[in-house]
Amino acid sequence: MDNKKSEGQAAALPPSNERPTLKTIAFMTGLGITTVSRALKDAPDISAETKERVRLVARQIGYQPNRAGVRLRTGKTNVISLILSLEEEIMGLTSPMVIGISEILASTQYHLVVTPYRTQGNALDPVRYVLETGAADGVIISRTEPKDPRVALMMERNFPFATHGRTEMGFSHPYHDFDNERFAYEAVRRLVEMGRKRLILLQPPPYLTFYLHMRGGFERGVRDFGATAVPFNTVNLDNSLLDIREAAEGVFSGPDAPDGIVSGSGGGAVALIAALEANGLKLGQEIDMVSKEPHMFLQWLRPEVVTMREDIRLAGRELAKAVIARIEGIPPEELQTLSYPIPTE
Amino acid sequence: MDNKKSEGQAAALPPSNERPTLKTIAFMTGLGITTVSRALKDAPDISAETKERVRLVARQIGYQPNRAGVRLRTGKTNVISLILSLEEEIMGLTSPMVIGISEILASTQYHLVVTPYRTQGNALDPVRYVLETGAADGVIISRTEPKDPRVALMMERNFPFATHGRTEMGFSHPYHDFDNERFAYEAVRRLVEMGRKRLILLQPPPYLTFYLHMRGGFERGVRDFGATAVPFNTVNLDNSLLDIREAAEGVFSGPDAPDGIVSGSGGGAVALIAALEANGLKLGQEIDMVSKEPHMFLQWLRPEVVTMREDIRLAGRELAKAVIARIEGIPPEELQTLSYPIPTE
DNA sequence: CAAAACACCTGTATCGTTACAGATTTATAG
DNA sequence: CTATAAATCTGTAACGATACAGGTGTTTTG
């Protein structure tokens, strides 16, 4: 009769040797499941002593909340989705990005889910998927456009996200970006310092925001330092290295050939070098180049190239921190960071 | 009174404008929730007409099962976990691997979750985590060892997984591997054909399985083709490019310097080239090299290097297919694939 | 034509967690 | 010494899906 008390939530079942749940802890401590739940989240209506006891037992038996249970009840997924193009990247930007994000998430409850999309035109699909199915608490996207429909959609739904790259949409959102304006500007400066005048830029595709930055920096440099921009628009960083090489061979062998190159990526630089050398040109002699350098390839195999590093792993870390902060309600204005070209010596 | 019938599961609630659930479909079709559930999984005790009706409505309103609900009830997570070292890779193997896996998972219900570990010694942690928390239905690991404790653990628990790389543990499990034995063997053949005799191998760290393969192929080649293996054990593919370069400079400048190089990675090759050129050697003259080529770097910047490609994206695809097949109960023996060096151009 | 078989559908309980609305005990107020 | 307020704790319901054990109506069997 008196054991009514022990017939409550807590004592209903033996501990069992399965994965521990709140019920297990409730049984072990003699408390109710609700109490245990609230104790673990440090609720104000639980006594300090009880909290301590619950935490102790929880740690002891290695309790980890069941993600499906939490997710079903609260809608919180504890997932960050990285949205990736399957076509992306000649030269794995993805690796350091994934690693950087993982580094940050490792010390949180968040898991990283990679959500791919097939082609350029379908970039909105995975975002819609996440929004509609509630597959994640926050999203990281890259390849941003000045008016980015993905950003518009997530803003409208008030869904936490961070972008690798800026937009120009008249409101602020979390981002991390590399200062491509400065990169190109400094690149032009260096080339002019080396006596080069007729410059080409291997640039991003025109619809991406960082095209504007890189192009802008390039043109400002050309103006400020008194050089000439030679057109090179038939290919961009999204083309295959083979296409870039082919297009470059055309430019180098044509009239008014350039004598200076700014390459927006290390992979592209290799194609450009192959092209210019196929035309009998030599770096450091008839022509010079400034490029981003993902590894040590250019530095060691073509030391004549002036290289600057872009830290993608850092970008991953910053983006991860930004989405999480956004999820936690930090205002977007405080979650915008820029990184700068790192000179390689 | 008669409306008892309509007070059952189905009619309890209006459709609401939230995300549709089984209840929504039940309401719309006038069926019970259970019936809808079973209809959607094509159970035999539901009439063909009902199934058709349910499927139609489900498609119409864009029903997608709630993952948390399924997971909580059935334990099925619909997640594949890719376990990654945060230190991994000088030259992003991860990118094409992630892309390859995603390509396959995109047409399934599976999501890809990246689960990192910090350092070599902690490789078992993420595996334990997945096993203990049931975070995934299957796991993909790389950097396998001949006696791999992760493999042992997952076999013991009968947990589906696939490895990038083989093991030597006396039982079979799903894997995909690159034939490093053949790579090294062919590399030696090529070098000997070019008249080289004193060969070094930039090899994997000795505790990884593919060390045995690459080393084995190298030594078999040395024997078969009559060359000499020059020791080069102070560094391996896990060292930084700087360390490799430094060690290589020592070997090239020492007595009995090698005249042929087999490099197990493209990144390593760059370091070796930097080293040998710093010693005044020239590829194709005093020395030759065969290397894996991740991109077009070597091919275009040092065409004297003989390169072979390893298709990591393919590995990702194969591994994804293998885990899923394993989850579906296909015997491991049928899930073992090997890929072969791809001669470049 | 009653009994058994069949075809098809449905309610209940449950997975683990948390929001919410009490319940119980003890301390404070009047 | 009763009424109120704190301080703690707890049961119930619900999130969405599914396993299981019926239920109902129709058809077949003997």
Side-chain angles (χ1 to χ4, degrees):
Chain A
M1 268 269 125
D2 197 352
N3 72 354
K4 261 278 154 58
K5 192 186 171 193
S6 58
E7 276 181 0
Q9 278 178 307
L13 274 193
S16 117
N17 59 345
E18 294 299 301
R19 185 175 164 201
T21 69
L22 291 180
K23 202 193 236 167
T24 317
I25 301 178
F27 177 81
M28 293 177 75
T29 55
L31 295 164
I33 294 176
T34 303
T35 311
V36 174
S37 173
R38 296 186 57 65
L40 286 174
K41 18 184 64 57
D42 202 21
D45 64 347
I46 307 292
S47 78
E49 191 235 322
T50 299
K51 285 180 190 169
E52 202 38 65
R53 214 152 54 86
V54 168
R55 277 195 283 255
L56 182 70
V57 173
R59 202 167 333 114
Q60 205 66 32
I61 64 178
Y63 169 75
Q64 300 216 237
N66 180 305
R67 308 192 121 228
V70 175
R71 179 166 172 175
L72 182 57
R73 182 65 240 246
T74 66
K76 177 121 214 255
T77 62
N78 286 301
V79 161
I80 303 294
S81 165
L82 171 65
I83 293 182
L84 268 193
S85 164
L86 283 183
E87 297 163 327
E88 195 142 3
E89 57 166 297
I90 289 147
M91 268 282 319
L93 298 190
T94 299
S95 284
M97 177 70 106
V98 167
I99 305 260
I101 297 172
S102 297
E103 272 184 292
I104 297 299
L105 299 193
S107 55
T108 72
Q109 276 306 305
Y110 290 98
H111 285 183
L112 172 62
V113 171
V114 173
T115 311
Y117 60 99
R118 277 181 196 291
T119 52
Q120 179 53 33
N122 302 0
L124 208 47
D125 290 352
V127 175
R128 265 201 284 257
Y129 174 81
V130 171
L131 289 178
E132 277 168 19
T133 65
D137 296 334
V139 156
I140 296 174
I141 61 173
S142 48
R143 299 178 60 84
T144 47
E145 305 176 16
K147 309 291 180 206
D148 198 301
R150 301 167 299 174
V151 171
L153 183 56
M154 292 191 282
M155 283 299 286
E156 181 197 320
R157 305 287 183 84
N158 195 27
F159 191 86
F161 68 98
T163 64
H164 189 206
R166 283 161 283 179
T167 60
E168 301 185 347
M169 307 175 72
F171 51 73
S172 64
H173 59 78
Y175 68 75
H176 177 86
D177 205 355
F178 175 78
D179 190 345
N180 283 290
E181 207 277 347
R182 182 179 301 188
F183 161 75
Y185 186 76
E186 291 302 326
V188 172
R189 178 209 296 281
R190 294 294 288 268
L191 289 171
V192 171
E193 280 171 5
M194 294 189 270
R196 304 308 180 183
K197 289 282 174 202
R198 303 183 43 75
L199 313 182
I200 62 171
L201 171 67
L202 176 56
Q203 62 201 352
Y207 52 87
L208 299 183
T209 313
F210 82 117
Y211 167 88
L212 299 175
H213 300 146
M214 198 181 284
R215 188 81 219 168
F218 181 76
E219 273 164 8
R220 188 162 64 87
V222 164
R223 255 183 286 115
D224 285 5
F225 305 122
T228 310
V230 176
F232 186 58
N233 308 311
T234 49
V235 289
N236 60 51
L237 289 174
D238 268 11
N239 288 95
S240 74
L241 294 193
L242 266 167
D243 288 344
I244 294 173
R245 174 173 177 166
E246 202 171 314
E249 288 190 18
V251 174
F252 290 135
S253 64
D256 307 319
D259 60 1
I261 306 173
V262 180
S263 170
S265 86
V270 172
L272 294 169
I273 293 170
L276 68 89
E277 292 180 349
N279 271 288
L281 301 172
K282 267 200 70 114
L283 281 166
Q285 307 212 259
E286 304 88 357
I287 194 161
D288 272 301
M289 177 184 251
V290 179
S291 174
K292 286 192 195 170
E293 161 74 296
H295 303 283
M296 325 232 38
F297 282 79
L298 298 172
Q299 227 178 126
W300 282 355
L301 300 187
R302 287 295 181 282
E304 303 83 12
V305 177
V306 174
T307 57
M308 295 166 146
R309 194 176 300 282
E310 173 179 354
D311 192 339
I312 308 280
R313 188 159 172 171
L314 168 71
R317 274 187 253 120
E318 291 297 322
L319 288 167
K321 284 192 271 183
V323 221
I324 293 178
R326 191 70 200 93
I327 292 172
E328 289 168 351
I330 313 287
E333 296 77 28
E334 301 171 26
L335 303 173
Q336 308 180 325
T337 55
L338 216 50
S339 75
Y340 300 97
I342 303 161
T344 50
E345 114 285 18
Chain B
M1 301 257 134
D2 197 352
N3 72 353
K4 262 279 155 56
K5 193 186 172 194
S6 57
E7 275 180 0
Q9 278 178 307
L13 274 194
S16 120
N17 58 345
E18 294 299 301
R19 186 175 162 203
T21 69
L22 290 180
K23 202 194 239 168
T24 318
I25 302 177
F27 177 82
M28 293 177 75
T29 56
L31 294 164
I33 294 177
T34 304
T35 310
V36 173
S37 172
R38 298 187 55 65
L40 286 173
K41 23 183 58 59
D42 202 22
D45 65 347
I46 307 292
S47 77
E49 190 234 323
T50 299
K51 285 180 191 171
E52 202 38 66
R53 213 152 54 87
V54 168
R55 277 195 283 256
L56 182 70
V57 173
R59 201 168 332 112
Q60 205 67 30
I61 64 178
Y63 168 73
Q64 299 215 239
N66 180 305
R67 305 193 125 230
V70 176
R71 181 165 171 175
L72 183 56
R73 182 64 239 245
T74 66
K76 179 125 216 262
T77 63
N78 286 302
V79 161
I80 303 294
S81 165
L82 171 65
I83 293 182
L84 269 193
S85 165
L86 284 182
E87 298 164 325
E88 196 141 4
E89 59 166 297
I90 288 145
M91 267 283 319
L93 297 187
T94 299
S95 286
M97 177 71 103
V98 167
I99 305 260
I101 297 173
S102 296
E103 272 184 292
I104 297 298
L105 298 194
S107 55
T108 72
Q109 277 305 303
Y110 290 98
H111 285 183
L112 172 61
V113 170
V114 173
T115 311
Y117 60 100
R118 277 180 197 292
T119 53
Q120 179 54 34
N122 302 356
L124 207 46
D125 291 353
V127 174
R128 264 201 286 256
Y129 174 81
V130 171
L131 289 178
E132 276 167 19
T133 65
D137 296 334
V139 157
I140 296 174
I141 61 174
S142 48
R143 299 178 60 83
T144 48
E145 305 175 16
K147 309 292 181 204
D148 198 301
R150 302 168 298 173
V151 171
L153 183 55
M154 291 190 282
M155 283 298 286
E156 181 198 320
R157 304 286 183 84
N158 195 28
F159 191 87
F161 68 99
T163 64
H164 189 206
R166 284 161 283 180
T167 60
E168 301 185 346
M169 308 175 72
F171 50 72
S172 63
H173 59 79
Y175 68 76
H176 176 86
D177 204 356
F178 175 78
D179 191 344
N180 283 289
E181 208 276 348
R182 182 180 300 188
F183 161 75
Y185 186 77
E186 291 301 326
V188 172
R189 178 209 295 282
R190 295 295 286 269
L191 289 171
V192 171
E193 280 171 5
M194 294 189 269
R196 304 308 178 183
K197 290 281 174 201
R198 303 183 43 76
L199 313 182
I200 63 171
L201 171 67
L202 176 57
Q203 62 201 351
Y207 52 86
L208 299 182
T209 312
F210 81 116
Y211 167 87
L212 300 175
H213 300 146
M214 198 182 285
R215 187 80 218 168
F218 181 75
E219 274 164 6
R220 188 162 66 86
V222 164
R223 256 184 285 115
D224 286 5
F225 306 123
T228 309
V230 176
F232 186 58
N233 308 311
T234 48
V235 290
N236 60 52
L237 290 173
D238 267 10
N239 288 93
S240 75
L241 294 192
L242 267 168
D243 288 344
I244 294 172
R245 174 172 176 169
E246 201 171 315
E249 289 190 18
V251 173
F252 291 135
S253 64
D256 307 320
D259 60 2
I261 306 174
V262 180
S263 171
S265 86
V270 173
L272 294 169
I273 293 169
L276 68 88
E277 292 180 350
N279 270 288
L281 301 172
K282 268 199 68 113
L283 281 167
Q285 308 211 257
E286 303 88 357
I287 194 162
D288 273 300
M289 177 184 247
V290 180
S291 174
K292 286 192 195 171
E293 161 74 295
H295 303 284
M296 323 230 39
F297 283 79
L298 297 172
Q299 228 178 127
W300 282 354
L301 300 187
R302 287 296 182 281
E304 303 82 12
V305 178
V306 174
T307 57
M308 294 167 148
R309 195 175 301 282
E310 173 179 354
D311 193 338
I312 308 279
R313 186 160 174 170
L314 168 71
R317 274 188 253 119
E318 291 297 322
L319 288 167
K321 284 193 271 183
V323 223
I324 293 178
R326 191 69 198 95
I327 292 171
E328 289 169 351
I330 313 287
E333 296 76 28
E334 300 171 25
L335 303 173
Q336 308 180 324
T337 54
L338 215 50
S339 76
Y340 299 96
I342 304 160
T344 50
E345 132 285 11

